[in-house]
């Protein structure tokens, strides 16, 4: 079997990249069967080892990458990026099966007894600092997964975890189906008044859907420009309603019942483990620690953000009335009139800016910053990948192979929405060999017609830098144990390396070098660059309100009694906050994938803002030197943040880098909201 199945045979490829040109859908079922059998045998061997428990024969043995890591690494990335009905069927079968296997492992009494013995004797076991940290994290993981439960409680928790896995998969697939199936067909006349880059992207989207003319899809990089530039209020309303109603349609892809059951099961899970609410359980291991601390942060930002948004809404309403539309400002109006206001206040026009943000140039900019900060170089690789749009580079530092980086940048119907960083393989040291990561950035930028350069908005370019910051966190990892490598850190710390990296996009010398016009090749004129940077905080009231509202709804869902109707509860939360009428949540409940496709960001969507408090302060460390690429500060950033994974608690890592933890003032100042506070 192993010889005929490329997922199970040795990968004789450059840097052991998965042999994508050989892997077919049908290979996964047999590979997973083999992986489950192999992993169970490995766990049994560790649990039943006749020797006294030691770090190496217990924790070290568990930390070794196995066939399951290899197969899951490929599968999870493909099902998110190039999904198809066969993979989705397998995903529905696999999710509860894997959840059951994980629960079986976490509740293995003999295995936990070995781990607990090591933990109780950890201070006299002669462990180094990294081993002690890994042991403590493994022990905590087992306890929080129910290792100490007995009898029916053990069985019930296992059943809950299996059902939650099913619900998360259903939520994800429903959302993907809605995003894949909806599009709005338009004629050339329907796009009158829209810039040429939007028309080109809409034409390319139509081509990819085998239809004539132009289409608007639910891809953010297509629908947001349409909402910004289309003078057709009726079409903006149609598109916007489709966008915000993803997952809420009353049909087979409706996510409301899934959300209801998910919230109930999460509370029951937390109660079984001795916590009052799911948020109490989830936040215990994060920097924030308690729901009260999270709410304090969010509310410190909410009022000044709402004040700024309401002030802007008055300006936008005035512009709309000047257009002869005597109605209340609606959510599908905001971006259109905000674009007009930006033009009036900052003399900025997206159609003027966008030719300067070519995708290839922005990729080069992100690489160049990594070269200046961390000494990395990037060498293109000609290897088979999982889709023709994906591309790969070898990442080196002083001649040392550091990683393989894969970039997959364009939207397509087989890819879930959003942008993310993942990995086919993480970093670790195994049997004395430094295993280097294979990291992938996935985005959903609008694809240009063949022969034309792909153009980004400034926000798109910021997304590219954000995800590459995550990739650097993975690729620079230099620890021994995979359990703490790369992005394996507290959820409200993991966004620091990514959000911090965004700052370098706005460094004038970076834009002067890489923001070059797609037609002329000329650098962005300095006066245009100055106007762009001066407007960076434009519309921050809107951006902060839509984000913070989502984070507050997430927190309320997981700190209060699970609602029988999540949409009624969502409306009540927003009403209590006095949510501006013309702004909606960035992620409404039925398509809140961060929170309901799994529990990664559940009770923790605030994490982006928690990390932003730190990233504003961290970049200030460079600004205080007068050099955005100061070598000494960059070395400290590498040593204490990007290379050390979760080898120490997050607050310790940040304090070692900066000297102390920052206050929320840094965030308010960074967003330009301190003037309204």
């Amino acid at each position: 079997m192993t010889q005929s199945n490329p997922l199970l045979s040795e990968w004789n490829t450059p840097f052991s990249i998965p042999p994508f040109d050989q892997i077919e859908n049908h290979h996964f079922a047999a590979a997973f069967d083999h992986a489950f059998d192999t992993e169970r045998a490995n766990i049994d061997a560790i649990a039943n080892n006749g020797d006294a428990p030691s770090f190496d024969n217990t924790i070290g043995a568990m930390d070794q990458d196995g066939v399951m890591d290899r197969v899951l690494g490929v599968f999870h990335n493909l099902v998110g990026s190039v999904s198809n009905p066969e993979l989705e069927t397998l995903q529905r079968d696999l999710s509860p099966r894997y959840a059951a296997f994980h629960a079986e492992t976490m509740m293995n009494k003999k295995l936990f007894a070995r781990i607990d013995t090591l933990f109780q004797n950890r201070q006299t076991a002669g462990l180094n600092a990294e081993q002690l940290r890994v042991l403590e994290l493994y022990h905590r993981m087992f306890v929080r997964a129910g290792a100490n439960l007995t009898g029916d409680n053990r069985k019930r928790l296992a059943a809950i975890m299996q059902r939650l896995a099913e619900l998360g998969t259903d939520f994800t697939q429903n959302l993907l189906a809605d995003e894949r199936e909806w599009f709005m067909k338009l004629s050339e006349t329907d796009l009158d008044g829209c810039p040429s880059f939007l028309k080109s992207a809409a034409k390319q989207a139509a081509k990819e859907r085998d239809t004539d003319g132009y289409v608007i899809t639910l891809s953010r990089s297509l629908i947001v420009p349409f909402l910004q530039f289309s003078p057709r209020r009726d079409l903006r309303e149609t598109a916007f309603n489709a966008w915000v109603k993803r997952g809420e349609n009353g049909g087979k892809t409706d996510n409301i019942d899934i959300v209801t059951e998910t919230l109930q099961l999460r509370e029951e899970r937390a109660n079984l483990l001795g916590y009052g609410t799911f948020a109490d359980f989830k936040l215990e291991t994060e920097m924030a620690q308690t729901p009260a601390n999270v709410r304090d942060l969010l509310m410190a930002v909410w009022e000044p953000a709402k004040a700024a948004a309401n002030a802007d809404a008055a300006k936008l309403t005035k512009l709309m009335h000047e257009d002869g539309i005597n109605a209340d400002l609606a959510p599908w109006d905001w971006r259109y009139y905000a674009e007009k206001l930006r033009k009036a206040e900052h003399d900025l026009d997206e159609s003027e800016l966008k030719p300067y943000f070519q995708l290839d140039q922005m990729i080069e900019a992100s690489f160049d910053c990594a070269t200046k900060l961390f000494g990395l170089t990037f060498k293109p690789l000609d290897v088979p990948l999982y889709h023709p749009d994906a591309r790969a580079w070898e990442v080196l530092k002083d001649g040392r192979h550091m990683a393989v980086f894969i970039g997959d940048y364009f939207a397509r119907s087989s890819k879930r929405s959003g942008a993310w960083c993942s990995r086919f393989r993480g970093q670790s040291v195994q049997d004395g060999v430094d295993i280097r990561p294979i990291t992938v950035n996935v985005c959903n930028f609008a694809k240009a017609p063949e022969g034309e350069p792909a153009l980004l908005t400034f926000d798109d370019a910021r997304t590219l830098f954000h995800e590459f910051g995550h990739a650097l966190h993975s690729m620079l990892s230099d620890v021994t144990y995979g359990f703490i490598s790369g992005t394996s850190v507290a959820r409200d710390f993991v966004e620091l390396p990514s959000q911090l990296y965004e700052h370098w996009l706005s460094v004038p010398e970076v834009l002067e070098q890489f923001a070059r016009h797609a037609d002329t090749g000329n650098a962005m004129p300095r006066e245009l660059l100055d106007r762009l940077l001066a407007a960076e905080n434009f519309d921050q009231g809107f951006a902060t309100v839509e984000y913070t509202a989502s984070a507050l709804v997430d927190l309320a869902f997981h700190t209060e009694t699970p609602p029988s109707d999540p949409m009624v509860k969502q409306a009540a939360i927003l009403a209590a906050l006095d949510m501006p009428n013309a702004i909606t949540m960035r992620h409404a409940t039925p398509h809140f994938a961060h929170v309901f496709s799994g529990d990664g960001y559940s009770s923790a969507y605030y994490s982006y803002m928690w990390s932003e408090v730190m990233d504003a302060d961290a970049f200030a460390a460079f600004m205080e030197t007068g050099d955005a690429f100061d070598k000494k500060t960059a070395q400290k950033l590498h040593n204490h943040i990007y290379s050390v994974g979760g080898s120490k608690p997050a607050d310790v890592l940040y304090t070692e880098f900066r000297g102390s933890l920052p206050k929320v003032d840094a965030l308010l100042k960074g967003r330009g909201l301190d003037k309204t506070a």
Side-chain angles (χ1 to χ4, degrees), residues 240 244 299 302-303 305-307 309-310 313 329 331 334-335 541-553 569-589:
F240 185 86
V244 298
M299 293 309 296
W302 176 255
E303 291 302 331
K306 187 171 64 172
N310 286 333
L329 186 72
W334 191 290
R335 289 175 176 83
F542 169 87
T544 307
V545 162
E546 66 162 6
Y547 164 81
T548 309
S550 297
L552 284 164
V553 168
K569 180 64 173 179
Q570 174 185 291
I573 296 166
L574 297 179
L577 290 168
D578 194 21
M579 178 82 166
N581 292 330
I583 304 179
T584 60
M585 293 167 61
R586 183 175 178 85
H587 302 291
T589 298

Side-chain angles (χ1 to χ4, degrees), residues 34-325:
H34 178 76
F36 278 117
D37 290 343
T38 302
E39 290 298 308
R40 279 196 174 90
N42 290 341
I43 293 297
D44 287 345
I46 297 169
N48 294 308
N49 190 334
D51 295 335
S54 69
F55 184 91
D56 287 340
N57 71 18
T58 304
I59 301 298
M62 290 183 64
D63 200 67
Q64 296 291 302
D65 279 351
V67 64
M68 182 67 80
D69 299 288
R70 169 194 283 208
V71 178
L72 275 176
V74 177
F75 180 76
H76 281 158
N77 280 286
L78 296 191
V79 83
S81 301
V82 284
S83 190
N84 58 58
E86 193 172 351
L87 287 180
E88 289 174 9
T89 297
L90 182 57
Q91 185 186 28
R92 287 193 294 272
D93 294 340
L94 174 66
S95 293
R97 185 181 177 192
Y98 184 78
F101 167 74
H102 181 72
E104 171 190 320
T105 302
M106 294 296 103
M107 296 181 192
N108 184 311
K109 292 182 180 179
K110 290 183 178 179
L111 180 61
F112 181 63
R114 296 180 69 87
I115 295 171
D116 193 47
T117 297
L118 288 170
F119 179 75
Q120 301 303 332
N121 299 303
R122 63 192 182 281
Q123 300 299 344
T124 58
L127 304 179
N128 63 36
E130 187 176 331
Q131 290 173 327
L132 183 61
R133 171 74 171 163
V134 171
L135 171 58
E136 290 172 346
L137 291 176
Y138 261 98
H139 186 269
R140 186 179 76 181
M141 176 180 70
F142 270 75
V143 171
R144 287 169 57 82
N148 281 326
L149 294 181
T150 58
D152 290 343
N153 286 345
R154 290 170 68 90
K155 295 178 182 177
R156 179 56 186 159
L157 183 61
I160 287 172
M161 298 308 295
Q162 190 168 341
R163 180 57 179 158
L164 284 171
E166 293 171 348
L167 292 169
T169 298
D170 289 345
F171 185 98
T172 302
Q173 293 190 357
N174 287 346
L175 184 54
L176 179 60
D178 281 0
E179 292 169 344
R180 181 169 51 214
E181 292 168 12
W182 189 92
F183 62 87
M184 182 169 65
K185 196 169 181 179
L186 301 174
S187 67
E188 189 162 1
T189 303
D190 291 330
L191 289 169
D192 283 349
C194 294
S196 58
F197 70 80
L198 176 55
K199 294 178 182 177
S200 293
K203 190 169 188 176
Q204 179 65 23
K207 180 180 178 182
E208 290 173 0
R209 282 162 176 72
D210 297 320
T211 188
D212 296 329
Y214 306 84
V215 303
I216 298 299
T217 70
L218 297 179
S219 168
R220 179 173 285 272
S221 288
L222 192 54
I223 197 167
V224 168
F226 182 76
L227 293 169
Q228 279 179 290
F229 293 107
S230 174
R232 289 280 301 274
R233 192 173 191 241
D234 58 330
L235 296 179
R236 295 201 311 266
E237 181 178 3
T238 298
F240 185 86
N241 284 334
W243 194 30
V244 298
K245 287 291 185 180
R246 289 169 293 158
E248 183 187 8
N249 49 48
K252 64 179 182 179
T253 58
D254 193 284
N255 278 332
I256 302 301
D257 288 345
I258 291 173
V259 169
T260 303
E261 187 178 355
T262 296
L263 292 172
Q264 292 168 348
L265 290 175
R266 284 177 177 167
E267 182 183 57
E268 186 181 356
R269 173 189 178 190
N271 293 164
L272 282 170
L273 292 167
Y275 298 85
T277 70
F278 184 77
D280 291 322
F281 164 73
K282 185 66 180 290
L283 296 175
E284 180 187 51
T285 60
E286 309 302 329
M287 292 184 74
Q289 297 186 329
T290 68
N293 289 340
V294 173
R295 185 169 178 82
D296 286 347
L297 168 71
L298 295 174
M299 293 309 296
V301 175
W302 176 255
E303 291 302 331
K306 187 171 64 172
N310 286 333
D312 286 341
K315 296 178 183 179
L316 302 184
T317 300
K318 184 173 183 291
L319 288 174
M320 188 174 74
H321 290 171
E322 289 172 357
D323 269 358
I325 301 173

